[in-house]
Amino acid sequence: ICSNKRNVERYMWNIATKFPDPGRLLSGSYTPGPLATDEGFAAFNTTQFRGMGYVLGELNPDNLHDMNTWSDMYKVIRRCNTIFQRMDEASDMTAADRFRITGYTRFMRAYAYYLIVMDLGPVVILGDEVLPNNNGSYNNHRATYDESVDYICNELEKASESLPLEVLINEFGRPTKGAAYGLIARLRLIQASPLFNGGDAAKSYYGNWKRSIDGVHYISQEYNEEKWAVAAAACERIMQMGYKLHTVPKRPDTPDL
């Protein structure tokens, strides 16, 4: 698969097909959408509108239907690690090619970890290893929530060094430097929030959730104000890049809020 640059690139972009589509807000099998709320009701069943599964109590840790991203995302991570391990086999790859492919691959690997931590909590960090399949290699202890977020953010920082500021229209959908910075900002804000930063919610929901090998809490039970400073800096950076919200001009008949 890595005999030349073309094969490496084809293999790399094929990895992206494993990611769920977050834009399918109503009938997507992964994105629960606006119907995943106690205020939502519909005459349709959950095979048509997956979000209703939350309302009807059909989704639980033992039955996630096809919303379980764990397996697919670790397949993404393994394929990304395969590229890092075998990229040198492509004799026609230039330094510029390597720089670009490394950035995209590192972003996709970090994005896979991001989806896991958002959906299922702390992750099993594999680093650059390509582990054998089906022999218990992935049956390992999770990192803590803070360790998971720090690892993902550090990987996104490294990826951003190789990512472009913008892409051509025919490359729409490829990650940019702003995409990496935006994910970092989102993760840092969540990490600083009371849910994961020693607040009442963290103590109520996760107070007894400890790692068996060392007794460390998976979710921090002590408030750390420095996390808010890190989050503020991450948000300021993305704001200074000039991104603006897409808005539609108000019409004369638009009612006031």
Side-chain angles (χ1 to χ4, degrees):
I1 62 172
C2 296
S3 59
N4 55 61
K5 181 189 72 172
R6 182 170 180 267
N7 282 354
V8 174
E9 287 192 298
R10 291 177 65 182
Y11 184 79
M12 176 187 69
W13 290 123
N14 183 260
I15 293 173
T17 63
K18 301 293 292 183
F19 290 124
D21 181 1
R24 297 180 61 191
L25 296 177
L26 289 178
S27 58
S29 60
Y30 163 74
T31 310
L35 292 180
T37 169
D38 291 338
E39 288 77 36
F41 62 92
F44 307 103
N45 61 41
T46 53
T47 60
Q48 294 171 295
F49 294 95
R50 288 296 188 184
M52 290 304 298
Y54 286 94
V55 182
L56 300 176
E58 295 180 0
L59 293 172
N60 54 64
D62 297 318
N63 188 8
L64 293 173
H65 295 285
D66 47 2
M67 293 186 183
N68 185 357
T69 57
W70 186 277
S71 177
D72 278 347
M73 291 308 100
Y74 273 106
K75 290 177 184 177
V76 167
I77 292 164
R78 190 177 195 279
R79 292 178 186 181
C80 290
N81 286 352
T82 299
I83 289 179
F84 289 135
Q85 187 178 86
R86 300 185 57 185
M87 194 186 306
D88 289 340
E89 296 176 20
S91 58
D92 61 340
M93 187 176 296
T94 65
D97 294 330
R98 179 184 298 278
F99 185 75
R100 175 174 49 83
I101 291 172
T102 296
Y104 284 136
T105 303
R106 194 177 293 276
F107 178 92
M108 286 193 283
R109 185 174 69 177
Y111 185 60
Y113 277 117
Y114 160 80
L115 290 176
I116 294 172
V117 82
M118 292 294 287
D119 293 346
L120 301 164
V123 302
V124 176
I125 298 175
L126 302 179
D128 295 336
E129 282 192 88
V130 179
L131 299 179
N133 287 327
N134 303 322
N135 69 346
S137 299
Y138 290 86
N139 186 20
N140 209 330
H141 295 282
R142 298 191 190 202
T144 66
Y145 181 83
D146 282 342
E147 290 168 349
S148 300
V149 170
D150 290 345
Y151 175 79
I152 297 168
C153 289
N154 289 336
E155 285 296 295
L156 288 169
E157 290 284 0
K158 293 176 183 177
S160 71
E161 298 172 3
S162 307
L163 294 175
L165 280 171
E166 55 186 24
V167 296
L168 301 174
I169 188 64
N170 64 323
E171 296 176 340
F172 178 79
R174 295 187 179 184
T176 61
K177 196 180 297 289
Y181 289 163
L183 280 178
I184 292 171
R186 176 181 290 182
L187 280 169
R188 292 303 189 189
L189 281 170
I190 298 172
Q191 184 183 29
S193 72
L195 186 60
F196 298 104
N197 190 15
D200 290 339
K203 294 176 181 178
S204 298
Y205 292 108
Y206 308 118
N208 295 322
W209 197 17
K210 297 181 180 180
R211 191 161 51 190
S212 61
I213 56 172
D214 54 14
V216 173
H217 283 92
Y218 276 107
I219 306 300
S220 175
Q221 301 296 291
E222 296 181 6
Y223 175 69
N224 183 354
E225 192 165 358
E226 290 183 3
K227 291 180 180 178
W228 283 113
V230 173
C235 292
E236 176 70 13
R237 177 172 63 178
I238 193 73
M239 291 166 64
Q240 291 299 323
M241 293 182 72
Y243 289 103
K244 297 184 183 338
L245 291 176
H246 176 72
T247 59
V248 177
K250 180 179 179 180
R251 299 184 349 185
D253 58 345
T254 301
D256 293 328
L257 295 177

